Coordinates of all heavy atoms in Angstrom, one line a residue:
M1 N 8.8 7.0 11.9 CA 10.0 7.1 11.1 C 9.6 7.0 9.6 O 8.7 6.2 9.2 CB 10.9 5.9 11.4 CG 12.3 6.0 10.9 SD 13.3 4.6 11.5 CE 13.1 3.5 10.1
A2 N 10.2 7.8 8.8 CA 9.9 7.8 7.3 C 10.5 6.5 6.7 O 11.5 6.1 7.0 CB 10.5 9.0 6.7
C3 N 9.7 6.0 5.7 CA 10.1 4.8 5.0 C 11.4 5.1 4.2 O 11.5 6.1 3.6 CB 9.0 4.4 4.1 SG 9.4 3.0 3.0
K4 N 12.3 4.1 4.3 CA 13.6 4.2 3.6 C 13.7 3.2 2.5 O 14.7 3.0 1.9 CB 14.7 4.0 4.6 CG 14.8 5.1 5.7 CD 15.8 6.2 5.3 CE 16.1 7.1 6.5 NZ 14.9 7.8 7.0
K5 N 12.6 2.5 2.2 CA 12.7 1.4 1.2 C 12.8 2.0 -0.2 O 12.3 3.1 -0.4 CB 11.5 0.5 1.3 CG 11.5 -0.4 2.5 CD 10.3 -1.4 2.4 CE 10.1 -2.0 3.8 NZ 8.6 -2.3 4.0
D6 N 13.3 1.2 -1.1 CA 13.4 1.6 -2.5 C 12.0 1.2 -3.2 O 11.8 0.0 -3.4 CB 14.6 0.9 -3.2 CG 14.6 1.2 -4.7 OD1 13.9 2.2 -5.1 OD2 15.3 0.6 -5.4
H7 N 11.2 2.1 -3.5 CA 9.9 1.8 -4.1 C 9.9 2.2 -5.6 O 8.9 2.3 -6.2 CB 8.8 2.5 -3.4 CG 8.5 2.1 -2.1 ND1 8.2 0.7 -1.8 CD2 8.4 2.7 -0.9 CE1 8.0 0.6 -0.5 NE2 8.1 1.8 0.1
S8 N 11.1 2.3 -6.2 CA 11.2 2.7 -7.6 C 10.6 1.7 -8.6 O 10.1 2.2 -9.6 CB 12.7 2.9 -8.0 OG 13.4 1.7 -7.7
N9 N 10.5 0.5 -8.2 CA 9.9 -0.5 -9.1 C 8.4 -0.4 -9.2 O 7.8 -1.0 -10.1 CB 10.3 -2.0 -8.7 CG 9.8 -2.3 -7.2 OD1 9.8 -1.4 -6.4 ND2 9.5 -3.5 -7.0
I10 N 7.7 0.3 -8.3 CA 6.3 0.4 -8.4 C 5.8 1.9 -8.6 O 4.6 2.2 -8.3 CB 5.5 -0.2 -7.2 CG1 6.1 0.3 -5.9 CG2 5.7 -1.7 -7.2 CD1 5.3 -0.1 -4.7
Q11 N 6.7 2.7 -9.1 CA 6.3 4.1 -9.3 C 5.2 4.3 -10.3 O 4.3 5.2 -10.1 CB 7.5 4.9 -9.7 CG 8.6 5.2 -8.6 CD 7.9 5.9 -7.4 OE1 7.5 7.0 -7.5 NE2 7.9 5.2 -6.3
S12 N 5.1 3.5 -11.3 CA 4.0 3.6 -12.3 C 2.7 3.3 -11.7 O 1.7 3.9 -12.0 CB 4.3 2.7 -13.5 OG 4.5 1.4 -13.1
V13 N 2.7 2.3 -10.7 CA 1.4 2.0 -10.0 C 1.0 3.1 -9.1 O -0.1 3.5 -9.1 CB 1.6 0.7 -9.2 CG1 0.3 0.4 -8.4 CG2 2.0 -0.5 -10.1
M14 N 2.0 3.7 -8.4 CA 1.7 4.8 -7.5 C 1.2 6.0 -8.2 O 0.3 6.7 -7.6 CB 3.0 5.2 -6.7 CG 3.6 4.1 -5.8 SD 2.5 3.7 -4.4 CE 1.9 2.1 -5.0
A15 N 1.6 6.2 -9.4 CA 1.1 7.4 -10.1 C -0.3 7.3 -10.5 O -1.0 8.3 -10.7 CB 2.0 7.5 -11.4
T16 N -0.9 6.1 -10.5 CA -2.3 5.9 -10.9 C -3.2 6.0 -9.7 O -4.4 6.1 -9.9 CB -2.5 4.5 -11.5 OG1 -2.4 3.5 -10.5 CG2 -1.6 4.2 -12.6
L17 N -2.7 6.1 -8.5 CA -3.6 6.1 -7.3 C -4.2 7.5 -7.0 O -3.6 8.5 -7.4 CB -2.7 5.7 -6.0 CG -2.3 4.3 -6.0 CD1 -1.3 4.1 -4.8 CD2 -3.5 3.3 -5.8
P18 N -5.4 7.5 -6.5 CA -6.0 8.8 -6.2 C -5.4 9.5 -5.0 O -4.7 8.8 -4.1 CB -7.4 8.4 -5.8 CG -7.3 7.0 -5.3 CD -6.2 6.4 -6.1
Y19 N -5.5 10.8 -5.0 CA -4.9 11.6 -3.9 C -5.8 11.4 -2.6 O -7.0 11.2 -2.8 CB -4.8 13.1 -4.2 CG -3.6 13.3 -5.1 CD1 -3.8 13.4 -6.5 CD2 -2.3 13.5 -4.5 CE1 -2.6 13.6 -7.3 CE2 -1.2 13.7 -5.3 CZ -1.4 13.8 -6.7 OH -0.3 14.0 -7.5
D20 N -5.3 11.5 -1.5 CA -6.0 11.5 -0.2 C -5.2 12.2 0.8 O -4.2 11.6 1.3 CB -6.3 10.0 0.2 CG -7.0 10.0 1.5 OD1 -7.4 11.0 2.0 OD2 -7.2 8.8 2.0
Q21 N -5.5 13.4 1.2 CA -4.7 14.1 2.2 C -5.4 14.1 3.5 O -4.9 14.8 4.4 CB -4.5 15.5 1.7 CG -3.8 15.5 0.3 CD -2.8 16.7 0.2 OE1 -2.0 16.9 1.2 NE2 -2.8 17.3 -0.9
G22 N -6.4 13.4 3.7 CA -7.1 13.4 5.0 C -7.4 12.0 5.5 O -7.0 11.0 4.8
G23 N -7.9 11.9 6.7 CA -8.3 10.6 7.2 C -7.2 9.8 7.8 O -6.0 10.3 7.8
R24 N -7.5 8.7 8.3 CA -6.6 7.8 8.9 C -5.6 7.3 7.9 O -5.9 7.0 6.8 CB -7.3 6.6 9.5 CG -8.2 7.0 10.7 CD -9.0 5.9 11.2 NE -8.2 4.9 11.9 CZ -8.6 4.0 12.7 NH1 -9.9 3.8 12.8 NH2 -7.8 3.1 13.2
G25 N -4.3 7.2 8.4 CA -3.3 6.6 7.5 C -2.7 7.6 6.5 O -1.9 7.2 5.7
R26 N -3.1 8.9 6.6 CA -2.6 9.8 5.6 C -1.1 10.1 5.6 O -0.6 10.5 4.6 CB -3.4 11.1 5.7 CG -2.9 12.1 6.8 CD -3.9 13.2 6.9 NE -3.4 14.2 7.9 CZ -3.0 15.4 7.5 NH1 -3.0 15.8 6.3 NH2 -2.6 16.2 8.5
H27 N -0.5 9.8 6.7 CA 1.0 10.0 6.7 C 1.8 8.7 6.5 O 3.0 8.7 6.6 CB 1.4 10.6 8.0 CG 0.9 12.0 8.2 ND1 1.2 13.0 7.3 CD2 0.2 12.6 9.2 CE1 0.6 14.2 7.7 NE2 0.0 13.9 8.8
K28 N 1.1 7.7 6.2 CA 1.7 6.4 6.1 C 2.2 6.2 4.6 O 1.7 6.8 3.7 CB 0.7 5.2 6.4 CG 0.3 5.2 7.9 CD 1.5 5.1 8.8 CE 1.1 5.0 10.2 NZ 2.2 4.8 11.1
C29 N 3.2 5.3 4.5 CA 3.8 5.1 3.2 C 2.9 4.3 2.3 O 2.6 3.1 2.6 CB 5.1 4.3 3.3 SG 5.9 4.0 1.7
T30 N 2.4 4.9 1.3 CA 1.4 4.3 0.4 C 2.0 3.2 -0.4 O 1.3 2.2 -0.7 CB 0.8 5.4 -0.6 OG1 0.3 6.4 0.2 CG2 -0.3 4.8 -1.5
A31 N 3.3 3.3 -0.8 CA 3.9 2.2 -1.5 C 4.0 0.9 -0.6 O 3.8 -0.2 -1.1 CB 5.3 2.6 -2.0
C32 N 4.3 1.1 0.7 CA 4.3 0.0 1.6 C 2.9 -0.6 1.8 O 2.8 -1.8 1.9 CB 4.9 0.5 3.0 SG 6.7 0.6 3.1
A33 N 1.9 0.3 1.8 CA 0.5 -0.2 1.9 C 0.2 -1.1 0.7 O -0.4 -2.1 0.8 CB -0.4 1.0 1.9
Y34 N 0.7 -0.7 -0.5 CA 0.5 -1.5 -1.7 C 1.2 -2.9 -1.5 O 0.6 -3.9 -1.8 CB 1.0 -0.8 -2.9 CG 1.0 -1.6 -4.2 CD1 -0.2 -1.6 -5.0 CD2 2.1 -2.3 -4.6 CE1 -0.2 -2.4 -6.1 CE2 2.0 -3.1 -5.8 CZ 0.9 -3.1 -6.5 OH 0.8 -3.8 -7.7
E35 N 2.4 -2.8 -1.1 CA 3.2 -4.1 -1.0 C 2.6 -5.0 0.1 O 2.5 -6.2 -0.1 CB 4.6 -3.8 -0.7 CG 5.3 -3.2 -1.9 CD 6.8 -2.8 -1.6 OE1 7.2 -2.8 -0.4 OE2 7.5 -2.5 -2.6
K36 N 2.1 -4.4 1.2 CA 1.5 -5.2 2.2 C 0.2 -5.8 1.7 O -0.1 -7.0 2.0 CB 1.2 -4.3 3.5 CG 0.8 -5.1 4.7 CD 2.0 -6.0 5.2 CE 1.5 -6.9 6.3 NZ 2.6 -7.8 6.7
G37 N -0.6 -5.0 1.0 CA -1.8 -5.6 0.4 C -1.5 -6.7 -0.6 O -2.2 -7.7 -0.6
Y38 N -0.5 -6.6 -1.4 CA -0.1 -7.6 -2.3 C 0.2 -8.9 -1.6 O -0.2 -10.0 -2.0 CB 1.1 -7.1 -3.2 CG 1.5 -8.2 -4.2 CD1 0.8 -8.3 -5.4 CD2 2.6 -9.0 -3.9 CE1 1.2 -9.3 -6.3 CE2 2.9 -10.0 -4.8 CZ 2.3 -10.1 -6.0 OH 2.6 -11.1 -6.9
E39 N 1.0 -8.7 -0.5 CA 1.4 -9.9 0.3 C 0.2 -10.6 0.9 O 0.1 -11.9 0.8 CB 2.3 -9.3 1.4 CG 2.9 -10.4 2.3 CD 3.6 -9.7 3.5 OE1 4.3 -8.6 3.3 OE2 3.5 -10.1 4.6
L40 N -0.7 -9.9 1.4 CA -1.9 -10.5 2.0 C -2.8 -11.1 1.0 O -3.5 -12.1 1.2 CB -2.6 -9.5 2.9 CG -1.9 -9.1 4.2 CD1 -2.6 -7.9 4.9 CD2 -1.8 -10.3 5.1
G41 N -2.9 -10.4 -0.2 CA -3.7 -10.9 -1.3 C -3.2 -12.2 -1.8 O -3.9 -13.2 -2.1
L42 N -1.9 -12.3 -1.9 CA -1.2 -13.5 -2.4 C -1.5 -14.7 -1.5 O -1.7 -15.8 -1.9 CB 0.3 -13.3 -2.5 CG 1.2 -14.1 -3.5 CD1 0.6 -14.0 -4.9 CD2 2.6 -13.5 -3.4
Q43 N -1.6 -14.4 -0.2 CA -2.0 -15.4 0.8 C -3.5 -15.6 0.9 O -3.9 -16.5 1.7 CB -1.4 -15.0 2.2 CG 0.0 -14.8 2.3 CD 0.4 -14.0 3.6 OE1 -0.4 -13.9 4.5 NE2 1.7 -13.6 3.7
M44 N -4.2 -14.9 0.2 CA -5.7 -14.9 0.3 C -6.1 -14.7 1.8 O -7.1 -15.3 2.3 CB -6.3 -16.2 -0.2 CG -5.8 -16.6 -1.6 SD -6.5 -15.7 -2.9 CE -8.1 -16.5 -3.0
A45 N -5.4 -13.8 2.5 CA -5.7 -13.6 3.9 C -7.0 -12.9 4.0 O -7.4 -12.0 3.2 CB -4.5 -12.7 4.5
E46 N -7.7 -13.3 5.1 CA -9.0 -12.7 5.3 C -9.1 -12.1 6.7 O -10.0 -11.2 7.0 CB -10.1 -13.7 5.1 CG -10.2 -14.2 3.7 CD -11.3 -15.2 3.5 OE1 -11.8 -15.7 4.5 OE2 -11.6 -15.5 2.3
E47 N -8.4 -12.6 7.6 CA -8.5 -12.2 9.0 C -7.5 -11.1 9.4 O -6.4 -11.3 9.9 CB -8.2 -13.4 10.0 CG -9.2 -14.5 9.7 CD -10.6 -14.2 10.0 OE1 -10.9 -13.5 11.0 OE2 -11.5 -14.5 9.3
F48 N -7.8 -9.9 9.0 CA -6.9 -8.7 9.3 C -7.8 -7.5 9.3 O -8.9 -7.5 8.7 CB -5.7 -8.6 8.4 CG -6.2 -8.4 6.9 CD1 -6.4 -7.1 6.5 CD2 -6.4 -9.4 6.1 CE1 -6.7 -6.8 5.2 CE2 -6.7 -9.2 4.8 CZ -6.9 -7.9 4.3
S49 N -7.3 -6.4 9.9 CA -7.9 -5.1 9.9 C -7.1 -4.2 9.1 O -5.9 -4.0 9.4 CB -8.1 -4.7 11.3 OG -8.0 -3.3 11.4
I50 N -7.6 -3.5 8.1 CA -6.8 -2.6 7.3 C -6.3 -1.5 8.2 O -5.2 -1.0 8.0 CB -7.7 -2.0 6.1 CG1 -8.0 -3.1 5.1 CG2 -6.9 -0.9 5.4 CD1 -8.8 -2.6 3.9
A51 N -7.1 -1.0 9.1 CA -6.7 0.1 10.0 C -5.4 -0.4 10.8 O -4.4 0.4 10.9 CB -7.8 0.4 11.0
D52 N -5.4 -1.6 11.3 CA -4.2 -2.1 12.0 C -3.0 -2.2 11.1 O -1.9 -1.9 11.4 CB -4.5 -3.5 12.6 CG -5.5 -3.4 13.8 OD1 -5.7 -2.2 14.3 OD2 -6.0 -4.4 14.2
V53 N -3.3 -2.7 9.9 CA -2.2 -2.9 8.9 C -1.5 -1.6 8.6 O -0.3 -1.4 8.6 CB -2.7 -3.6 7.6 CG1 -1.6 -3.5 6.5 CG2 -3.1 -5.0 7.8
L54 N -2.4 -0.6 8.3 CA -1.8 0.8 7.9 C -1.1 1.4 9.1 O -0.1 2.1 9.0 CB -3.0 1.7 7.5 CG -3.7 1.3 6.2 CD1 -4.7 2.4 5.8 CD2 -2.7 1.1 5.1
E55 N -1.6 1.2 10.3 CA -1.0 1.7 11.5 C 0.4 1.3 11.7 O 1.3 2.0 12.2 CB -1.9 1.3 12.7 CG -1.5 2.0 14.0 CD -1.6 3.5 13.9 OE1 -2.6 4.0 13.3 OE2 -0.8 4.2 14.5
Q56 N 0.7 0.1 11.3 CA 2.1 -0.5 11.5 C 3.1 -0.1 10.4 O 4.3 -0.4 10.5 CB 2.0 -2.0 11.5 CG 1.3 -2.5 12.8 CD 0.8 -4.0 12.7 OE1 1.3 -4.7 11.8 NE2 -0.1 -4.4 13.6
L57 N 2.6 0.6 9.4 CA 3.5 1.0 8.3 C 4.4 2.2 8.7 O 4.0 3.0 9.6 CB 2.7 1.4 7.1 CG 1.9 0.2 6.5 CD1 1.1 0.8 5.3 CD2 2.7 -1.0 6.1
D58 N 5.5 2.3 8.0 CA 6.4 3.5 8.2 C 5.7 4.8 7.6 O 4.7 4.7 6.9 CB 7.7 3.3 7.5 CG 8.6 2.3 8.2 OD1 8.4 2.2 9.4 OD2 9.5 1.8 7.6
E59 N 6.2 5.9 8.0 CA 5.7 7.2 7.5 C 6.0 7.3 6.0 O 6.9 6.7 5.5 CB 6.3 8.3 8.2 CG 6.1 8.3 9.7 CD 4.6 8.4 10.2 OE1 4.0 9.4 9.7 OE2 4.1 7.6 10.9
S60 N 5.2 8.2 5.3 CA 5.4 8.4 3.9 C 6.7 9.0 3.5 O 7.4 9.7 4.3 CB 4.2 9.2 3.4 OG 4.3 10.5 4.0
Q61 N 7.1 8.7 2.3 CA 8.3 9.3 1.7 C 7.9 10.0 0.4 O 6.7 10.0 0.0 CB 9.3 8.2 1.3 CG 8.8 7.1 0.4 CD 9.8 6.1 0.0 OE1 10.0 5.8 -1.2 NE2 10.5 5.5 1.0
A62 N 8.8 10.7 -0.2 CA 8.5 11.5 -1.4 C 8.2 10.6 -2.6 O 8.1 9.4 -2.5 CB 9.6 12.5 -1.7
Q63 N 8.2 11.2 -3.8 CA 8.0 10.5 -5.1 C 6.5 10.3 -5.3 O 5.7 11.0 -4.7 CB 8.7 9.1 -5.2 CG 10.2 9.3 -5.0 CD 10.9 7.9 -5.2 OE1 10.9 7.3 -6.2 NE2 11.6 7.5 -4.1
Q64 N 6.1 9.4 -6.2 CA 4.8 9.3 -6.7 C 3.7 9.0 -5.6 O 2.6 9.3 -5.8 CB 4.7 8.3 -7.8 CG 5.4 8.6 -9.1 CD 4.8 9.7 -9.8 OE1 3.7 10.2 -9.6 NE2 5.5 10.2 -10.8
Q65 N 4.2 8.3 -4.6 CA 3.2 7.8 -3.6 C 2.9 8.9 -2.6 O 2.0 8.7 -1.7 CB 3.8 6.6 -2.9 CG 5.1 6.8 -2.1 CD 6.3 6.4 -3.0 OE1 6.2 6.5 -4.2 NE2 7.4 6.0 -2.4
R66 N 3.5 10.1 -2.6 CA 3.2 11.1 -1.7 C 1.8 11.6 -1.8 O 1.3 11.9 -2.8 CB 4.2 12.3 -1.8 CG 4.1 13.3 -0.7 CD 5.4 13.9 -0.5 NE 5.4 14.8 0.7 CZ 5.7 14.4 1.9 NH1 6.0 13.1 2.2 NH2 5.6 15.2 2.9
H67 N 1.1 11.6 -0.6 CA -0.3 12.1 -0.5 C -1.2 11.3 -1.3 O -2.3 11.7 -1.6 CB -0.4 13.6 -0.9 CG 0.4 14.5 0.0 ND1 1.0 15.6 -0.5 CD2 0.7 14.4 1.3 CE1 1.6 16.2 0.6 NE2 1.4 15.5 1.6
K68 N -0.9 10.0 -1.6 CA -1.8 9.2 -2.3 C -2.5 8.3 -1.2 O -2.0 8.2 -0.1 CB -1.1 8.2 -3.3 CG -0.5 9.0 -4.5 CD -1.5 9.7 -5.2 CE -0.9 10.4 -6.5 NZ -0.7 9.6 -7.6
S69 N -3.7 7.8 -1.6 CA -4.5 7.1 -0.6 C -3.9 5.7 -0.3 O -3.8 4.9 -1.1 CB -5.9 6.9 -1.2 OG -6.6 5.9 -0.4
P70 N -3.5 5.5 1.0 CA -3.0 4.2 1.4 C -4.0 3.1 1.4 O -3.7 1.9 1.1 CB -2.4 4.4 2.8 CG -3.2 5.6 3.3 CD -3.5 6.5 2.1
H71 N -5.3 3.5 1.6 CA -6.4 2.5 1.5 C -6.5 2.0 0.1 O -6.7 0.8 -0.1 CB -7.7 3.1 2.0 CG -7.7 3.4 3.4 ND1 -7.2 4.6 3.9 CD2 -8.1 2.7 4.5 CE1 -7.4 4.6 5.3 NE2 -7.9 3.5 5.6
A72 N -6.5 2.9 -0.9 CA -6.6 2.5 -2.3 C -5.4 1.7 -2.7 O -5.6 0.7 -3.4 CB -6.8 3.8 -3.2
A73 N -4.3 2.1 -2.2 CA -3.0 1.3 -2.5 C -3.1 -0.1 -2.0 O -2.8 -1.0 -2.7 CB -1.8 2.1 -1.9
F74 N -3.6 -0.2 -0.7 CA -3.7 -1.5 -0.1 C -4.7 -2.4 -0.9 O -4.4 -3.6 -1.2 CB -4.2 -1.4 1.3 CG -4.3 -2.7 2.0 CD1 -3.3 -3.3 2.7 CD2 -5.5 -3.4 1.9 CE1 -3.4 -4.5 3.3 CE2 -5.7 -4.7 2.5 CZ -4.6 -5.2 3.2
A75 N -5.8 -1.8 -1.3 CA -6.8 -2.6 -2.0 C -6.3 -3.0 -3.4 O -6.5 -4.1 -3.8 CB -8.1 -1.7 -2.2
L76 N -5.6 -2.1 -4.1 CA -5.0 -2.5 -5.4 C -4.0 -3.6 -5.2 O -3.9 -4.5 -6.0 CB -4.4 -1.2 -6.0 CG -3.9 -1.4 -7.4 CD1 -5.0 -1.9 -8.4 CD2 -3.3 -0.1 -8.0
G77 N -3.2 -3.4 -4.2 CA -2.1 -4.5 -4.0 C -2.8 -5.8 -3.7 O -2.3 -6.8 -4.2
Y78 N -3.8 -5.8 -2.9 CA -4.5 -7.0 -2.5 C -5.1 -7.7 -3.8 O -5.0 -8.9 -4.0 CB -5.6 -6.7 -1.5 CG -6.2 -8.0 -0.9 CD1 -5.8 -8.4 0.3 CD2 -7.2 -8.7 -1.5 CE1 -6.3 -9.6 0.9 CE2 -7.7 -9.9 -0.9 CZ -7.3 -10.3 0.3 OH -7.8 -11.4 0.8
F79 N -5.7 -6.8 -4.6 CA -6.3 -7.3 -5.9 C -5.2 -8.0 -6.8 O -5.5 -9.1 -7.3 CB -6.8 -6.0 -6.6 CG -7.5 -6.3 -7.9 CD1 -8.9 -6.4 -8.1 CD2 -6.7 -6.3 -9.1 CE1 -9.4 -6.6 -9.3 CE2 -7.3 -6.6 -10.3 CZ -8.6 -6.7 -10.4
K80 N -4.1 -7.3 -6.9 CA -3.0 -7.9 -7.7 C -2.5 -9.2 -7.1 O -2.1 -10.2 -7.8 CB -1.8 -6.9 -7.8 CG -2.2 -5.6 -8.5 CD -2.2 -5.7 -10.0 CE -2.3 -4.3 -10.6 NZ -2.6 -4.4 -12.0
G81 N -2.4 -9.3 -5.8 CA -2.0 -10.4 -5.1 C -2.9 -11.6 -5.3 O -2.4 -12.7 -5.6
V82 N -4.2 -11.4 -5.2 CA -5.1 -12.5 -5.5 C -5.0 -12.9 -6.9 O -5.0 -14.1 -7.2 CB -6.6 -12.0 -5.2 CG1 -7.6 -13.1 -5.6 CG2 -6.7 -11.8 -3.7
E83 N -4.9 -12.0 -7.9 CA -4.7 -12.3 -9.3 C -3.5 -13.3 -9.5 O -3.6 -14.3 -10.1 CB -4.4 -11.1 -10.1 CG -5.6 -10.5 -10.8 CD -5.3 -9.4 -11.7 OE1 -4.2 -8.8 -11.6 OE2 -6.1 -9.1 -12.6
D84 N -2.4 -12.9 -8.8 CA -1.1 -13.6 -9.0 C -1.2 -15.0 -8.3 O -0.5 -15.9 -8.6 CB 0.1 -12.8 -8.5 CG 0.4 -11.7 -9.4 OD1 -0.2 -11.6 -10.5 OD2 1.3 -10.9 -9.1
A85 N -2.0 -15.1 -7.2 CA -2.2 -16.3 -6.5 C -2.8 -17.4 -7.4 O -2.5 -18.6 -7.2 CB -3.1 -16.1 -5.3
Y86 N -3.5 -17.0 -8.4 CA -4.1 -18.0 -9.4 C -3.3 -18.2 -10.7 O -3.8 -18.8 -11.6 CB -5.5 -17.6 -9.6 CG -6.5 -18.0 -8.5 CD1 -6.9 -17.0 -7.6 CD2 -6.9 -19.3 -8.4 CE1 -7.7 -17.4 -6.5 CE2 -7.7 -19.7 -7.3 CZ -8.1 -18.7 -6.4 OH -8.9 -19.1 -5.4
K87 N -2.1 -17.6 -10.7 CA -1.3 -17.7 -12.0 C -0.5 -19.0 -11.9 O -0.2 -19.5 -10.9 CB -0.4 -16.5 -12.1 CG -1.1 -15.4 -12.8 CD -0.2 -14.2 -13.0 CE -1.0 -13.0 -13.6 NZ -0.2 -11.8 -13.6
Ligands
ZN101 ZN1 7.5 2.5 2.0

């Protein structure tokens, strides 16, 4: 199912992500991958598999996140989450 969430608040972040039209997770919502990464980063979570996390996400939607790398989005989200965990 295609993602129906409003990702308008993170469009500027999505615009900076690299394109990735191949590989695992290519049809997954990159904005959701970013948000999931942020959530896990904030918790400093270590026991998870990125492949499993991406697998559970909704399908991609249009806008800036289309055809962007969900792995890069997840990593960037995690990075920001860890940063905010120490604020
Ligand atoms: Zn989404």
Side-chain angles (χ1 to χ4, degrees):
M1 197 177 93
C3 175
K4 298 265 193 290
K5 286 186 196 146
D6 175 14
H7 290 306
S8 57
N9 58 327
I10 54 170
Q11 288 303 297
S12 58
V13 176
M14 293 297 102
T16 67
L17 291 169
Y19 283 98
D20 176 9
Q21 302 215 43
R24 294 175 69 165
R26 76 189 186 111
H27 293 303
K28 295 301 183 178
C29 180
T30 303
C32 281
Y34 175 85
E35 290 179 350
K36 191 66 188 174
Y38 180 82
E39 181 189 319
L40 290 173
L42 208 53
Q43 298 166 12
M44 308 286 283
E46 295 178 351
E47 301 297 318
F48 63 87
S49 144
I50 292 183
D52 290 346
V53 168
L54 295 184
E55 190 59 40
Q56 288 163 19
L57 299 178
D58 285 336
E59 303 293 309
S60 60
Q61 56 176 232
Q63 301 183 61
Q64 295 291 349
Q65 60 267 27
R66 188 148 187 89
H67 296 147
K68 295 301 182 81
S69 168
H71 292 84
F74 180 89
L76 183 61
Y78 193 96
F79 180 98
K80 301 276 188 193
V82 172
E83 262 188 343
D84 287 355
Y86 280 101
K87 275 183 184 167

